[in-house]
Amino acid sequence: MAASGFTDLREKLRSMTPHGDDHRKPQRGGALKRRYHDSEEDLSDPEERRETEARRVKSSIEQLSIFSPEECALIEAKIDEVVSSGEKGLYREHTVDRAPLRNKYFFGEGYTYGSQLEKRGPGQERLYSKGEVDEIPDWVHELIIKKLVASGVIPADFVNSAVINDYQPGGCIVSHVDPIHIFERPIVSVSFFSDSALCFGCKFQFKPIRVSEPVLFLPVKRGSVTVLSGYAADEITHCIRPQDIKARRAVIILRKTRPDAPRLETNPRSNAAVPFSLGRPQILKPKRSHRKADPDAAHRPRILEMDKEENRRSVILPRWRQRSSSSSENLRRRSHESAAGYSGPDDSMDSPRRVKMRRH
C-alpha cells in the first residue's frame, strides 16, 4: 500500500469510490435502513433492539413489597377455600375456568378468551352478562384491595374485577396482552404461595410445548405486588412459562373494566336470563376434578398433543384402559396359542383351561 502512495487503507477505499464521501449513501431503497441506523438510538443490531425494548418494558413496571408473610398465609388460606368451593361446584358456571395445571376463578366480571371465542384474535373478547359470575369475595376487599388503596397503588373504587389464577408445578399461561378494549390500566397482580417469574415478549410453540427466550425476565416474589401500565401493558405480550412454576403458585389479578367494554348478548331462553337476585343459582358440578401435578413437571416440557406415531404409543394410558387392553391382549394370545396346540381331547390335560375349536 505504501508503494501506491496510500498509508491508510481507508484513503485507498475512498479514492476508489466514484462519489468520494458519498459512498455511504444506500442504493435500491436502502435509505430508510441507513437513516434508522444513523438515528439517535442505534437499533440495527437485534441485540440492541432487544435491550432497548427490555428497558421500555422495565420502565413501565412497578413492583412493591406490601404483604407480610403472616398476611400472605391468611390470604392463602382464603384461596384454598375458593378452590374447595370450586371443586364442590358451589360457584356459578362462568366463575370457574379449568385448564391443565391451572384453574381460573372470575369474580365481579368474567370474559371470554382463547378457545371460548367465536372468532379468534385480539379484540374478540367479550364480557359475560351481568350476574354470570360470582361477586368479589369480601376477604379480597378487606385483605387486599383496601391495603393497595391505602398504599396509593390504586384509587378507591377502582377494582370491579378480580381473578385468581391457581397454578400447579409446570402450569403456564401463553403470551397475551390483557384486552385493551375490556380493561383499563393499570393491571395489578399480587403473588402468593411461592416465588415465580413473569416473562415478556416470549413466543410459544407446541407439539411439544416450547417457549422462546424472553425480552425481559421479571422475578416475582411471594407477597409482591406487580403493576403493569404503558408499554408493558399495551405494547408487548407477557406470559407465565412452565419452567418458572416449580411449586404451587397463585396470583390475584385486580382490574377495572371499561364502561364501553362489549358484552355477550343474554339469551332469554337460557338460564342466564334468570335474575340471580331471586336466590342462589343451582349448584353446579365441577367441570373436572382438580388435576394433581407431577413434582418434576416443571423441569421438562409438557407434551400437549402428539404428532408422531411413536409418541402416541409412548403415552401412558389410564389404568382402566391398561387393564382392559392388556386383558384382551392376553386373552387373544392365550386363545391363539391354545388353538394352535389343540389336537384332541387327550392333549394338554394338565392345562387349567381348554379352548375348543369351532368350525363356522
Side-chain angles (χ1 to χ4, degrees), residues 228-244:
L228 303 184
S229 58
Y231 194 92
D234 300 338
E235 304 296 333
I236 191 171
T237 60
H238 58 271
C239 69
I240 302 291
R241 302 184 302 175
Q243 58 264 44
D244 296 328

Side-chain angles (χ1 to χ4, degrees), residues 76-84 105 164-170 192-196 245-250 290 293:
E76 288 162 1
K78 295 295 184 180
I79 295 174
D80 285 336
E81 293 179 6
V82 170
V83 173
S84 177
Y105 303 87
I164 300 176
N165 284 345
D166 186 20
Y167 297 92
Q168 298 300 315
F192 297 101
F193 287 110
S194 66
D195 299 343
S196 183
I245 305 292
K246 298 179 174 61
R248 184 193 176 189
R249 184 231 181 185
H290 196 75

Side-chain angles (χ1 to χ4, degrees), residues 56-86:
R56 291 174 179 171
V57 175
K58 199 168 185 179
S59 66
S60 52
I61 298 174
E62 183 180 8
Q63 280 191 305
L64 308 96
S65 181
I66 295 179
F67 297 92
S68 66
E70 293 75 20
E71 290 171 320
C72 288
L74 179 58
I75 295 171
E76 288 162 1
K78 295 295 184 180
I79 295 174
D80 285 336
E81 293 179 6
V82 170
V83 173
S84 177
S85 297

Side-chain angles (χ1 to χ4, degrees), residues 124-157:
Q124 300 300 322
E125 299 87 353
R126 297 290 184 269
L127 288 173
Y128 287 118
S129 300
K130 285 288 188 180
E132 291 274 355
V133 302
D134 287 75
E135 295 299 323
I136 299 176
D138 291 338
W139 63 264
V140 175
H141 285 287
E142 296 295 326
L143 301 180
I144 301 177
I145 296 177
K146 282 187 176 180
K147 189 153 189 175
L148 295 177
V149 172
S151 302
V153 178
I154 53 176
D157 301 324

Side-chain angles (χ1 to χ4, degrees), residues 178 184-189 226-229 233 238 253-255:
D178 289 37
E184 295 185 355
R185 271 45 176 165
I187 300 162
V188 181
S189 61
T226 304
V227 184
L228 303 184
S229 58
H238 58 271
I253 306 170
L254 304 170
R255 295 175 289 201

Side-chain angles (χ1 to χ4, degrees), residues 73-138:
L74 179 58
I75 295 171
E76 288 162 1
K78 295 295 184 180
I79 295 174
D80 285 336
E81 293 179 6
V82 170
V83 173
S84 177
S85 297
E87 291 179 343
K88 294 175 182 177
L90 301 180
Y91 290 128
R92 298 170 185 173
E93 181 181 2
H94 295 300
T95 295
V96 184
D97 180 61
R98 302 183 186 278
L101 302 179
R102 189 207 76 224
N103 284 351
K104 274 181 174 286
Y105 303 87
F106 292 95
F107 296 104
E109 295 282 6
Y111 67 100
T112 59
Y113 70 100
S115 60
Q116 303 168 354
L117 301 177
E118 294 182 3
K119 279 186 176 181
R120 295 294 184 92
Q124 300 300 322
E125 299 87 353
R126 297 290 184 269
L127 288 173
Y128 287 118
S129 300
K130 285 288 188 180
E132 291 274 355
V133 302
D134 287 75
E135 295 299 323
I136 299 176
D138 291 338

